[in-house]
Amino acid sequence: MIRENLMMILEEIETAAKKSGRSLCDISLMAVSKLHPYEEILEAYHCGQRLFGENKVQEVQAKFPSLRPEGMDLHLIGHLQTNKVKKIVGLVDGIDSVDSLKLATKISEEALVLGKAMPILLEFNTSGEENKSGFTSTEELFRVLDVIEGLKGVSLQGLMTIGPLGKNDDTIRKAFRQLKEIQILCRYRYPSLCFETLSMGMSSDFALAIEEGSTVVRVGTRLFGQRDYTK
Ligand SMILES: *Cc1c(COP(=O)(O)O)cnc(C)c1O
């Protein structure tokens, strides 16, 4: 099933890219494997999938072997508590859900202990939903960026957002457009920092996200099937 799902998703990505005159090379698919077993991750890997996303530190620790297959790229995409940073920095290739200065600073500290700079994305809350993480104003974001310029242990790659769930296309599109506008603003204000990555779009809205400029779509359900939250 995973192979067929993957093919369908890739075709839809291609269609959305064509529709918006974008190059496929600028768009990556992240396979969101949370609550799915490692065997399914390997299955996707053997189809050629390399980028994976997980949202919990404990699940990453429990599920992945310390030696992962060649080229497998694993990112944390869920809310991260400062007290778990030490555990995760050695286990992932990127943290895509940085939502506070305290967290960015802590990641930098712990990455430097390992002698590396952790690739990160800053999460922005474009949906206005209060239960979601992420920065809620550009002022807040700029305050963090002012400091990030000097943090040696993090390597900023761009921005991430979760669109409003269960809303109409127009509302979702507006949220994605907002992140694109913030990217343009950030590039202008911080020419020395990198804002290349725009991680937006999930199973239900990745085509819209691509039309609005997404460079990474995070797809779980459409690839691996429904998640069993009772486990
Ligand atoms: C679970 C999750 C996804 C994938 O959601 P689907 O709707 O299953 O594609 C994407 N991004 C984040 C941050 C997630 O937690």
Side-chain angles (χ1 to χ4, degrees):
M1 245 351 238
I2 290 176
R3 180 176 294 274
E4 286 85 347
N5 292 346
L6 185 59
M7 284 308 133
M8 274 204 289
I9 293 163
L10 292 174
E11 268 177 42
E12 284 177 38
I13 290 175
E14 192 168 342
T15 306
K18 277 207 184 114
K19 191 173 164 189
S20 45
R22 300 188 52 207
S23 163
L24 255 193
C25 311
D26 299 332
I27 303 156
S28 310
L29 170 64
M30 172 184 277
V32 178
S33 46
K34 64 189 187 206
L35 293 175
H36 289 281
Y38 188 62
E39 295 74 58
E40 291 180 21
I41 294 171
L42 277 184
E43 198 179 329
Y45 174 84
H46 289 304
C47 296
Q49 180 63 32
R50 290 295 177 268
L51 177 59
F52 293 85
E54 285 281 343
N55 72 334
K56 290 213 161 72
V57 173
Q58 263 176 324
E59 192 170 345
V60 171
Q61 284 179 309
K63 204 157 80 178
F64 289 80
S66 53
L67 209 63
R68 296 199 297 265
E70 180 75 31
M72 186 185 276
D73 198 3
L74 178 62
H75 287 218
L76 189 78
I77 58 172
H79 178 68
L80 175 60
Q81 287 169 295
T82 324
N83 62 4
K84 290 189 180 156
V85 170
K86 203 187 180 84
K87 285 188 190 134
I88 199 74
V89 283
L91 301 178
V92 293
D93 308 296
I95 298 175
D96 296 357
S97 44
V98 176
D99 57 5
S100 73
L101 179 57
K102 193 171 151 216
L103 181 59
T105 308
K106 183 71 178 165
I107 293 170
S108 178
E109 239 175 70
E110 295 296 342
L112 284 176
V113 172
L114 302 181
K116 64 180 195 180
M118 177 63 75
I120 61 163
L121 301 179
L122 296 181
E123 181 173 357
F124 200 89
N125 181 341
T126 53
S127 68
E129 291 162 27
E130 277 176 23
N131 58 342
K132 292 228 183 91
S133 355
F135 299 102
T136 49
S137 72
T138 46
E139 289 74 28
E140 204 185 348
L141 187 66
F142 293 160
R143 273 199 295 277
V144 177
L145 288 167
D146 287 341
V147 180
I148 277 187
E149 278 193 302
L151 294 180
K152 295 275 183 295
V154 293
S155 162
L156 183 69
Q157 305 291 312
L159 306 169
M160 183 273 235
T161 199
I162 300 175
L165 300 176
K167 295 281 163 55
N168 62 37
D169 284 6
D170 259 8
T171 310
I172 297 168
R173 205 183 269 282
K174 263 192 205 123
F176 293 151
R177 196 165 292 170
Q178 189 192 356
L179 196 70
K180 178 71 198 179
E181 286 165 3
I182 293 170
Q183 179 197 39
I184 293 169
L185 214 57
C186 286
R187 278 184 165 148
Y188 178 67
R189 201 176 157 118
Y190 300 92
S192 69
L193 290 175
C194 167
F195 296 96
E196 238 359 78
T197 303
L198 271 192
S199 174
M200 54 189 199
M202 308 180 13
S203 285
S204 59
D205 54 20
F206 68 83
L208 282 180
I210 289 170
E211 288 174 35
E212 296 302 331
S214 172
T215 69
V216 180
V217 292
R218 309 179 307 267
V219 179
T221 312
R222 284 284 308 276
L223 182 58
F224 295 110
Q226 291 293 335
R227 289 178 287 271
D228 183 359
Y229 285 100
T230 61
K231 272 186 207 154

